Amino acid sequence: MYKREGVTLYNTYENRELSWLRFNERVLEEAEDERNPLCERLTFMSIYQTNLDEFFMVRVGSIHDQMLLEDNPKENKTNMTASEQLEAIRERVKELGIRKDKSYHKLMKQINNKGIKIVNFAELDEKEGEFLRGFFDREILPLLSPITVSKKRPFPFIKNKEICAVAVLETKTGKNRFGIVPCNNGMFSRLIEIPGNKGTYMLAEELILHFLPEVFAGYNIAVKSLVRITRNADIDADKVYDEELNYRDHMAEVIKLRRKLQPVRLEYTREVDKSIIRTVADFFTIDKDMIFKTDAPLDMSFLFTIEDELRHDKDLFFEKRLPQKSYMFDESKPILPQIFEKDKFLSYPYENIRPFLTMLHEAANDPEVVSIKMTLYRLAKNSKVIEALVEAAENGKEVDVLVELKARFDEENNIGWSRMLEDAGCNVIYGLDGLKVHSKLCLITFKKGSDVQYITQIGTGNYNEKTARLYTDICLMTADQKIGAEAARVFYTLSMGDIMKRTEHLLVAPKCLQNKVLDKIDREIQIAKDGGEGYIGIKINSLTDKKIIDKLIAASNAGVKIEMVIRGICCLHPGIPGKTENIKIISIVGRFLEHSRIYIFGKGEREEIYIGSADFMTRNTVRRVEVATPLYDPEIRKRVRDMFNLQMSDNYKARELGPDGNYTYVKHTEPAVDAQEILYKEAYYNSERSD
């Protein structure tokens, strides 16, 4: 935003990283929102920190890597150099950090009123202090691994996100040394309860920090603090591929390598001489601009333990909601024949994932089923999907599974699942060179006499029973044979290490999604230029693809009405006169993670609606295998259109993006429209009606 002759002018584009930080600010707002129950606000506080950790591990790490490969490269929307982005990130994170600290302490005061208190030594009496001294000597000190740094004892390797107590140790000779004690080795509880004071706890790292004089006996502790480092986790697995290893073993090596990557952030907790902190940062070779002081704990995961202690008080949590039976299925009857009869649809977490799982188990045992093909990206810990695929293979079905071993931070789990599937006799492949397979696609093939028939499932979310209760996702199950035949071609090309070059029904990245979306936007532009009503409705997690952004700007200029629900990153500023004035963008951050992707083009008889796995990010549209499907069934089309319109009407959790890049809550008017709550109420009503 800038001014010229008294007129405010707005930038059309937003930097990706700064937009992401705005998203995490909305998560922090949920921790501050007193309309949310107290313990749910603790959850949002923890999510805020976890999100920020991953941001540094992946995005900041990636920008650092870019600077090593190129001479201060620029990103393609705001033309910010890598160093300018890092500087802007640092300033924004510091601003948000101050706000986060205040919010945390405000939350903990309210938690105190519920009988749970986190204390430090200044708040303890002599008797409690003596107990902790004895507890430390017996239970903690024998399990610590302190290190003093000297010429013969080099600076130790510190794990990613590991909390350490550090101290400047004064010797009798006047030569100072550094002392380091890792604090979260997993051998003792993070929360230590004070005896005789039920509900009063001290964090283990605070206890260790207090008793550092005992840990480093013989030294004088000149300065001490708690620190935590965040390491770069952004590894291009294909660039470091070792042809001597099979791909699964290679990914196991990548996981080990990630644990040792360069630190990109240092956090600390005490007011100490900044030269000391910079010296610590030098040991880690961390940029001095990526050092952050915090007045809140360095790791918020203990907040979940506090929530468990308060679980008895239902007023501190959201009202219990359970996924309901879908009215589109009669679960007293077999599922597969119902799908052959009519397209079916599930909406998570409002409806139960059970019909989909039942469909897989029926397919595993149906004598007419000859094969099941599936792409897997992220799975639940005890996956019932894997159970069904193993059952199918053991029953003699051909089971082809593409397991994406490069699903970030889920690589280790997926390696384990791939071994289990292979042991059961499934054919397992690991994706394509240079392309992640992110699609949510399942194809069941039947041989009925001389006929081959298909049932296809295409969704927006992972085959994960846990996230199906937490994320809003949708999926189509169809016996449309044209869609099935095209899905079969997708699996054939993947098995051959190739990609789809042409499609008629499905949108399949990297070659047949972005270009088709651009063509559909062009159609709406032409309709508007011809005097008709051009319309585009989009619901995605993120918008960064500049080709699509520029085409949306052109559509706005042509008079096309554009409505978008974008939960996270958005690199386009709407509402700018003469540029994006016909674009409205909202973000919904609420109880459930908005994750479904919907693309709507046109209105009335020419309306097209798609659901799929791809956000409008370059990594999705041209660097991954993604699949979106058209919705042909009138009832399902209406359901999806109504869901989208409901979210655009949300005035409870929706925030509207302004031309200046800021988000403000949609003005609350009666009646309150909380889209997520309304969809759950509808699911309960439909379930009861179908009984």
Side-chain angles (χ1 to χ4, degrees):
M1 182 174 66
Y2 55 98
K3 288 185 180 292
R4 189 176 68 196
E5 297 178 357
V7 178
T8 300
L9 302 175
Y10 296 102
N11 296 319
T12 310
Y13 303 106
E14 174 71 280
N15 174 264
R16 168 186 170 146
E17 318 309 339
L18 298 181
S19 180
W20 185 92
L21 289 171
R22 289 184 190 273
F23 158 66
N24 211 30
E25 181 179 20
R26 299 196 289 281
V27 175
L28 183 57
E29 285 177 355
E30 291 300 308
E32 298 166 340
D33 190 342
E34 295 194 356
R35 295 177 299 176
N36 293 327
L38 182 56
C39 282
E40 304 293 352
R41 292 166 63 195
L42 293 183
T43 297
F44 281 112
M45 179 62 70
S46 184
I47 292 171
Y48 169 84
Q49 185 199 46
T50 302
N51 284 350
L52 195 60
D53 287 346
E54 186 169 328
F55 175 74
F56 272 90
M57 291 161 63
V58 177
R59 295 307 308 165
V60 175
S62 174
I63 295 172
H64 274 288
D65 289 348
Q66 290 172 28
M67 292 179 68
L68 294 175
L69 294 171
E70 302 177 49
D71 184 18
N72 215 6
K74 294 182 178 181
E75 54 93 19
N76 69 347
K77 285 173 276 292
T78 60
N79 287 321
M80 293 177 72
T81 64
S83 58
E84 287 172 340
Q85 290 181 75
L86 292 175
E87 172 64 18
I89 288 168
R90 180 181 70 86
E91 291 301 319
R92 192 74 180 103
V93 169
K94 286 197 171 182
E95 289 173 8
L96 290 173
I98 293 169
R99 181 174 170 182
K100 177 262 298 179
D101 290 347
K102 290 179 179 177
S103 300
Y104 167 80
H105 289 297
K106 185 177 179 180
L107 278 173
M108 296 314 293
K109 282 183 181 178
Q110 295 178 55
I111 289 294
N112 289 352
N113 296 332
K114 301 300 178 182
I116 302 289
K117 190 174 184 181
I118 306 297
V119 298
N120 55 41
F121 267 87
E123 300 172 84
L124 301 180
D125 59 30
E126 185 177 348
K127 183 178 179 181
E128 291 167 335
E130 284 304 312
F131 163 79
L132 286 176
R133 177 180 292 277
F135 180 86
F136 177 80
D137 289 341
R138 294 189 314 273
E139 306 286 340
I140 304 292
L141 184 58
L143 301 176
L144 298 179
S145 300
I147 299 166
T148 58
V149 179
S150 67
K151 289 183 179 179
K152 293 184 178 180
R153 289 186 291 273
F155 205 85
F157 176 79
I158 304 299
K159 297 175 186 174
N160 184 34
K161 300 189 290 185
E162 183 172 41
I163 298 173
C164 292
V166 299
V168 176
L169 310 175
E170 292 181 340
T171 66
K172 293 178 181 178
T173 62
K175 291 184 178 180
N176 292 347
R177 290 182 177 177
F178 271 103
I180 304 169
V181 185
C183 295
N184 50 344
N185 57 22
M187 291 187 279
F188 43 79
S189 174
R190 178 92 184 281
L191 286 175
I192 298 167
E193 190 166 21
I194 310 300
N197 233 333
K198 185 171 175 56
T200 301
Y201 299 92
M202 179 174 287
L203 291 169
E205 62 264 27
E206 292 289 345
L207 182 66
I208 294 169
L209 187 71
H210 183 80
F211 286 113
L212 278 187
E214 290 195 24
V215 177
F216 296 109
Y219 295 96
N220 179 51
I221 307 293
V223 178
K224 62 181 180 179
S225 181
L226 295 171
V227 301
R228 179 176 182 257
I229 65 166
T230 311
R231 291 183 179 275
N232 182 1
D234 188 53
I235 301 177
D236 187 330
D238 292 315
K239 283 187 178 179
V240 296
Y241 181 47
D242 183 350
E243 293 184 357
E244 296 300 314
L245 298 173
N246 71 41
Y247 196 71
R248 186 167 57 203
D249 290 342
H250 161 67
M251 287 306 301
E253 292 300 315
V254 166
I255 295 167
K256 293 178 185 176
L257 178 61
R258 176 182 288 155
R259 295 173 184 144
K260 301 176 182 178
L261 284 181
Q262 175 68 29
V264 293
R265 176 180 60 162
L266 173 68
E267 301 168 278
Y268 68 101
T269 64
R270 296 296 190 277
E271 285 290 0
V272 296
D273 189 312
K274 285 190 169 59
S275 65
I276 301 297
I277 291 298
R278 281 198 294 270
T279 302
V280 175
D282 287 343
F283 276 119
F284 291 114
T285 62
I286 294 176
D287 187 328
K288 62 179 174 50
D289 290 332
M290 289 299 166
I291 302 172
F292 302 92
K293 180 183 176 295
T294 177
D295 291 328
L298 292 168
D299 182 333
M300 298 282 193
S301 59
F302 71 93
L303 294 176
F304 292 112
T305 304
I306 291 176
E307 289 180 29
D308 290 340
E309 289 291 312
L310 296 170
R311 195 69 61 180
H312 62 278
D313 189 342
K314 293 182 180 179
D315 290 339
L316 301 181
F317 297 87
F318 287 128
E319 183 180 350
K320 189 173 184 179
R321 293 291 190 214
L322 295 174
Q324 295 298 293
K325 180 173 61 177
S326 169
Y327 75 91
M328 295 196 82
F329 289 93
D330 182 346
E331 294 189 42
S332 67
K333 298 177 181 178
I335 297 296
L336 291 171
Q338 295 180 59
I339 300 171
F340 273 115
E341 185 178 311
K342 184 182 184 299
D343 286 0
K344 301 297 181 184
F345 180 82
L346 287 174
S347 175
Y348 311 134
Y350 314 108
E351 295 175 332
N352 204 302
I353 195 175
R354 188 169 51 241
F356 170 72
L357 297 174
T358 302
M359 179 193 77
L360 286 181
H361 281 289
E362 287 181 12
N365 292 280
D366 190 319
E368 292 184 324
V369 170
V370 293
S371 72
I372 301 175
K373 302 178 191 293
M374 206 166 183
T375 60
L376 299 180
Y377 195 75
R378 300 189 196 277
L379 294 158
K381 186 175 181 181
N382 298 305
S383 174
K384 296 186 183 302
V385 172
I386 294 292
E387 285 181 12
L389 295 176
V390 167
E391 180 183 20
E394 290 176 346
N395 287 341
K397 314 296 183 188
E398 179 184 333
V399 180
D400 297 337
V401 187
L402 191 147
V403 181
E404 182 49 78
L405 296 187
K406 292 177 287 186
R408 198 187 310 273
F409 305 126
D410 265 2
E411 298 97 336
E412 203 158 1
N413 290 334
N414 288 359
I415 287 170
W417 290 128
S418 69
R419 290 192 176 114
M420 181 181 292
L421 290 166
E422 280 188 350
D423 289 345
C426 302
N427 303 316
V428 179
I429 57 177
Y430 303 118
L432 305 176
D433 292 343
L435 293 173
K436 281 186 181 180
V437 178
H438 187 249
S439 56
K440 325 302 179 189
L441 182 64
C442 176
L443 180 70
I444 301 169
T445 304
F446 299 75
K447 187 74 163 59
K448 297 189 175 189
S450 59
D451 290 337
V452 172
Q453 295 183 343
Y454 302 107
I455 280 181
T456 312
Q457 183 273 341
I458 302 172
T460 67
N462 295 301
Y463 298 114
N464 185 318
E465 303 92 284
K466 180 180 178 181
T467 56
R469 300 169 69 95
L470 302 171
Y471 295 6
T472 73
D473 273 306
I474 50 183
C475 81
L476 172 74
M477 286 173 271
T478 181
D480 186 304
Q481 297 307 298
K482 292 178 181 177
I483 288 178
E486 208 152 83
R489 284 180 50 221
V490 172
F491 280 107
Y492 175 77
T493 56
L494 288 174
S495 68
M496 298 298 290
D498 201 355
I499 55 177
M500 294 283 282
K501 307 292 196 308
R502 181 183 61 81
T503 62
E504 183 180 350
H505 300 275
L506 302 178
L507 308 181
V508 184
K511 292 293 185 182
C512 304
L513 191 147
Q514 184 198 63
N515 57 336
K516 288 179 175 286
V517 167
L518 295 174
D519 288 344
K520 292 177 189 303
I521 298 174
D522 274 331
R523 186 191 69 179
E524 296 308 305
I525 290 174
Q526 192 59 51
I527 292 289
K529 286 181 176 179
D530 292 341
E533 184 182 8
Y535 177 80
I536 298 167
I538 303 293
K539 181 180 184 297
I540 48 179
N541 298 324
S542 298
L543 173 64
T544 69
D545 186 316
K546 191 169 185 298
K547 283 190 176 181
I548 293 178
I549 289 172
D550 287 343
K551 190 66 74 173
L552 290 170
I553 294 170
S556 174
N557 287 331
V560 177
K561 181 182 179 182
I562 302 169
E563 297 179 316
M564 292 194 277
V565 182
I566 304 175
R567 185 195 79 231
I569 302 168
C570 180
C571 294
L572 171 65
H573 290 172
I576 300 174
K579 294 182 179 179
T580 58
E581 60 190 11
N582 290 307
I583 302 176
K584 179 179 180 179
I585 299 174
I586 66 166
S587 169
I588 296 176
V589 178
R591 175 175 181 174
F592 304 107
L593 183 84
E594 289 294 337
H595 194 253
S596 55
R597 288 92 165 186
I598 301 167
Y599 323 142
I600 304 172
F601 303 97
K603 285 195 169 185
E605 292 183 358
R606 60 184 188 79
E607 176 190 66
E608 295 179 338
I609 302 180
Y610 291 80
I611 66 169
S613 57
D615 291 311
F616 287 172
M617 306 177 76
T618 307
R619 75 178 189 189
N620 296 94
T621 57
V622 297
R623 296 179 193 152
R624 289 183 175 182
V625 175
E626 306 272 11
V627 176
T629 182
L631 301 178
Y632 292 141
D633 181 87
E635 180 184 2
I636 294 174
R637 287 163 61 86
K638 184 178 185 306
R639 273 191 72 180
V640 172
R641 188 189 314 112
D642 289 347
M643 288 170 62
F644 179 82
N645 291 339
L646 175 64
Q647 293 209 312
M648 287 302 304
S649 302
D650 191 301
N651 62 16
Y652 191 76
K653 285 298 183 184
R655 298 151 173 94
E656 185 168 359
L657 176 58
D660 59 356
N662 291 318
Y663 287 82
T664 55
Y665 276 105
V666 172
K667 187 175 181 181
H668 181 75
T669 56
E670 294 298 336
V673 180
D674 181 344
Q676 292 185 350
E677 186 62 21
I678 289 171
L679 287 169
Y680 237 125
K681 286 180 179 178
E682 287 180 357
Y684 272 89
Y685 172 77
N686 289 331
S687 178
E688 292 169 2
R689 186 184 63 174
S690 64
D691 284 340

